[in-house]
Amino acid sequence: MIPPGLRRLPAVLVVDDELRSLEALRRTLEEDFEVFCASGADAGLEILEREQSTAPVRVVLCDQRMPGTTGVAFLREVRQRWPDIVRIILSGYTDAEDIIAGVNEAGIWQYLLKPWQPEQLLLTLQRAAEVWRLQQENQRLSLDLRTAEPVLRRQVDGKQARVKRTFGLESFVRAPGSPLQGVCDLIERIAPFDLSVLISGESGTGKEMVARAIHYESRRAERAFITENCGALPDTLLESELFGYRRGAFTGAVEDRVGLFQQADGGTLFLDEIGETSPAFQVKLLRVLQEGEFRPLGSTRPVTVDVRVIAATNRDLEEEVRAGRFREDLYYRLATIPVHVPALRERPMDLAFLARQLLAAVAVPLGRPQAEFTAEALACIAAYRWPGNVRELQNEIQRMVVLASGDRLGAELLSRRVLCSPVGETQAAELAWLEGLAGGLKERMDQLELQVVKEAMIRHRWNKSRAARELGLSRVGLRAKLARFGLDPEPQA
Ligand SMILES: Nc1ncnc2c1ncn2[C@@H]1O[C@H](COP(=O)(O)OP(=O)(O)OP(=O)(O)O)[C@@H](O)[C@H]1O
Ligand SMILES: [Mg+2]
């Protein structure tokens, strides 16, 4: 940075054929400006040519009446060659013709009259120099903005790609050959079309994840994805949340509220636990879906919105329809495309993949980035039925990471529920389980054998030597059985 004493003053050029006048102008200005003086147009142009690359002249102050030329003619040339310079005419005559020519041809900024007052002149030149600075700043900013636009666009695109990676199909952990692959294929096919989707599946299977993926794989991805849990609210609250209300619509409505349908305009509205809604609410929802418009509570004007509705339920909604608890017409309106998310026990091949992925996701925030499952722990995870599905698995893993004292997550960290199931606790449960076995004797014995081996393995904390000894098998023989039953502690990735 240049020290203030050495900082260059803004440069101005003064052109006048009268030497005394030139001198007076210089004396008035030199404290605030770097003043270049010229006694005629040619000398003036020479100075501008010479100085323009080093000390750009910001303002030219020029006498109008000079021998051989006029101030206007000179400034016209200055304007052509250095359009940024701010131009001022100084004249003893108020000739209207001159002024008009000055403005039209030379684009002068001000017309000053002689005799001039020093303070007045100084002020005018300071303002002119500021005009020049603002012009430059404006140009620089325009240029910055022009280059900023692609930068901003790139940032937005980058973020959109990240959001898609986080919520789109890529986020679904699944093993090759998993039934979840079929769900992903279906999502990919239906996402682009604005049809209602009804997602069914047990609690914790990933229904909300499916809804999000449909949104982020659709052309609505850049607009809002809004979730409403319909099971959590009584009718009146649910309606005011979804449709909004006008001020004064009811006691407590102190200001207007925009409903979720409106907030989701252009995007997707996810209605979770749709099976829990009352018949009265179902009628209202059906009307909105059919007409594409609704009236906020207390408003007389209908609101039209463009929203894709995705609903989810962990009930068997067809059964609910048959039992008369869910309106058939609403069911068909919502279930234009039904998507069923299979339970985790129906896709055991996903377990090892999911467990590792969920571990990676929780281990870092919990300060255990190196955490790993032992083979035994993975085998126990593979053997459990996971009635709470992915959410239960997620919680279990979180617990293990918190309880672990090192980076190895062993089977002993699993909760008793996981370790001890599904070995029946009562005879009745065991009998029921036996009755549930399917196939001929050979198939049933196989299933029985699987459970016996699994139970022994769990009890011996997946120590193969001890389990083999107890079962009267060799280690190799036990390993072969584990492989046959898919209980291999190291599932093939
Ligand atoms: N295939 C998967 N890959 C990765 N994470 C998954 C997968 N399936 C589910 N999850 C995760 O499991 C958790 C539960 O999923 P989600 O909330 O979508 O389930 P849900 O069916 O809506 O559950 P609920 O019925 O309890 O509302 C979420 O954290 C989700 O990210
Ligand atoms: Mg959910």
Side-chain angles (χ1 to χ4, degrees):
M1 197 168 145
I2 306 169
L6 295 177
R7 198 180 294 146
R8 288 192 87 139
L9 296 169
V12 301
L13 170 67
V14 183
V15 186
D16 199 323
D17 58 314
E18 263 183 60
L19 283 184
R20 273 186 44 224
S21 164
L22 206 55
E23 201 42 44
L25 287 166
R26 176 212 289 281
R27 272 203 307 279
T28 308
L29 299 173
E30 68 189 354
E31 224 174 88
D32 293 284
F33 296 94
E34 184 176 2
V35 186
F36 295 97
C37 292
S39 56
D42 290 344
L45 290 176
E46 225 170 81
I47 291 173
L48 288 179
E49 275 163 12
R50 195 183 65 223
E51 299 298 327
Q52 218 43 14
S53 59
T54 49
V57 170
R58 299 185 180 191
V59 186
V60 175
L61 174 65
C62 181
D63 185 29
Q64 166 65 350
R65 306 251 159 135
M66 296 184 291
T69 184
T70 63
V72 169
F74 170 68
L75 289 182
R76 190 165 49 218
E77 179 151 9
V78 171
R79 179 195 203 183
Q80 267 166 16
R81 296 180 56 185
W82 300 282
D84 291 348
I85 295 178
V86 180
R87 300 166 295 273
I88 302 174
I89 283 277
L90 190 61
S91 174
Y93 310 89
T94 43
D95 186 339
E97 296 272 305
D98 281 353
I99 300 177
I100 292 168
V103 171
N104 289 346
E105 297 171 27
I108 62 160
W109 179 68
Q110 285 241 344
Y111 199 98
L112 289 182
L113 279 183
K114 288 181 184 175
W116 43 269
Q117 301 294 319
E119 305 82 53
Q120 174 79 43
L121 184 83
L122 204 56
L123 208 70
T124 306
L125 266 106
Q126 276 162 346
R127 281 186 46 224
E130 180 64 6
V131 165
W132 182 89
R133 198 190 61 76
L134 290 173
Q135 266 177 16
Q136 302 292 308
E137 184 70 2
N138 185 29
Q139 281 171 13
R140 189 183 63 76
L141 291 175
S142 308
L143 219 72
D144 276 2
L145 274 183
R146 231 177 302 151
T147 51
E149 197 248 26
V151 171
L152 289 175
R153 166 98 352 241
R154 264 205 308 281
Q155 284 173 353
V156 167
D157 287 352
K159 279 189 188 148
Q160 266 163 9
R162 270 217 309 282
V163 166
K164 200 168 164 181
R165 264 202 308 281
T166 312
F167 296 121
L169 281 174
E170 284 176 59
S171 63
F172 280 80
V173 177
R174 59 211 187 260
S178 161
L180 203 55
Q181 186 55 47
V183 175
C184 292
D185 293 342
L186 183 60
I187 293 175
E188 197 170 7
R189 254 182 301 140
I190 63 175
F193 304 103
D194 269 344
L195 300 168
S196 304
V197 179
L198 178 66
I199 305 168
S200 59
E202 288 179 13
S203 164
T205 43
K207 297 184 294 297
E208 180 160 351
M209 206 172 155
V210 167
R212 253 180 227 284
I214 294 173
H215 172 75
Y216 285 103
E217 296 289 337
S218 80
R219 64 174 177 81
R220 296 173 176 265
E222 288 169 30
R223 307 299 287 272
F225 174 85
I226 290 182
T227 297
E228 176 68 317
N229 186 336
C230 301
L233 299 171
D235 273 11
T236 44
L237 262 181
L238 185 56
E239 280 167 35
S240 62
E241 286 246 320
L242 287 178
F243 309 129
Y245 50 78
R246 298 300 308 271
R247 200 175 116 198
F250 49 86
T251 341
V254 286
E255 53 190 26
D256 290 358
R257 179 184 172 124
V258 175
L260 297 181
F261 259 103
Q262 230 171 321
Q263 289 179 35
D265 196 14
T268 306
L269 182 60
F270 175 51
L271 301 177
D272 205 359
E273 298 196 32
I274 193 76
E276 314 300 311
T277 53
S278 74
F281 174 80
Q282 291 169 21
V283 176
K284 290 195 178 134
L285 181 61
L286 180 65
R287 202 175 314 134
V288 176
L289 295 179
Q290 277 169 343
E291 290 161 16
E293 62 173 42
F294 60 90
R295 242 191 306 247
L297 237 66
S299 166
T300 48
R301 260 189 302 154
V303 178
T304 310
V305 287
D306 163 30
V307 170
R308 179 186 202 166
V309 172
I310 302 181
T313 178
N314 52 18
R315 293 196 186 199
D316 179 347
L317 218 50
E318 279 182 64
E319 178 52 40
E320 296 293 299
V321 169
R322 271 193 297 276
R325 285 188 292 265
F326 200 85
R327 285 187 70 102
E328 189 175 19
D329 42 12
L330 178 60
Y331 173 79
Y332 285 113
R333 185 69 191 66
L334 289 172
T336 313
I337 300 174
V339 175
H340 179 72
V341 190
L344 202 43
R345 65 180 168 282
E346 296 166 48
R347 42 188 168 108
M349 65 289 270
D350 287 348
L351 273 167
F353 285 87
L354 267 170
R356 290 204 180 95
Q357 175 60 40
L358 295 172
L359 173 61
V362 300
V364 175
L366 290 176
R368 281 262 155 72
Q370 310 289 334
E372 262 184 310
F373 295 110
T374 61
E376 287 82 358
L378 272 178
C380 290
I381 287 171
Y384 180 59
R385 283 171 65 81
W386 300 104
N389 296 294
V390 187
R391 194 186 304 287
E392 186 186 5
L393 178 62
Q394 208 170 30
N395 294 342
E396 191 68 29
I397 292 173
Q398 207 154 19
R399 214 182 82 106
M400 290 176 83
V401 176
V402 171
L403 293 180
S405 49
D407 284 335
R408 279 170 56 81
L409 306 182
E412 72 284 358
L413 296 171
L414 284 161
S415 51
R416 271 185 60 80
R417 192 180 63 248
V418 178
L419 276 177
C420 299
S421 83
V423 186
E425 277 171 22
T426 66
Q427 217 181 6
E430 276 166 35
L431 276 179
W433 185 76
L434 275 177
E435 281 162 18
L437 295 178
L441 182 61
K442 164 116 186 42
E443 286 78 29
R444 290 189 206 192
M445 289 309 282
D446 269 356
Q447 293 170 56
L448 214 53
E449 192 180 348
L450 161 76
Q451 292 307 325
V452 170
V453 172
K454 192 163 91 179
E455 189 275 333
M457 288 300 288
I458 289 170
R459 212 160 10 81
H460 289 289
R461 300 238 155 130
W462 294 82
N463 181 315
K464 287 194 212 89
S465 312
R466 269 187 273 143
R469 206 171 317 128
E470 179 187 305
L471 295 171
L473 292 168
S474 67
R475 265 180 66 90
V476 177
L478 175 61
R479 212 176 299 141
K481 284 203 191 299
L482 291 175
R484 181 155 72 90
F485 295 136
L487 289 179
D488 203 324
E490 263 134 317
Q492 305 303 303

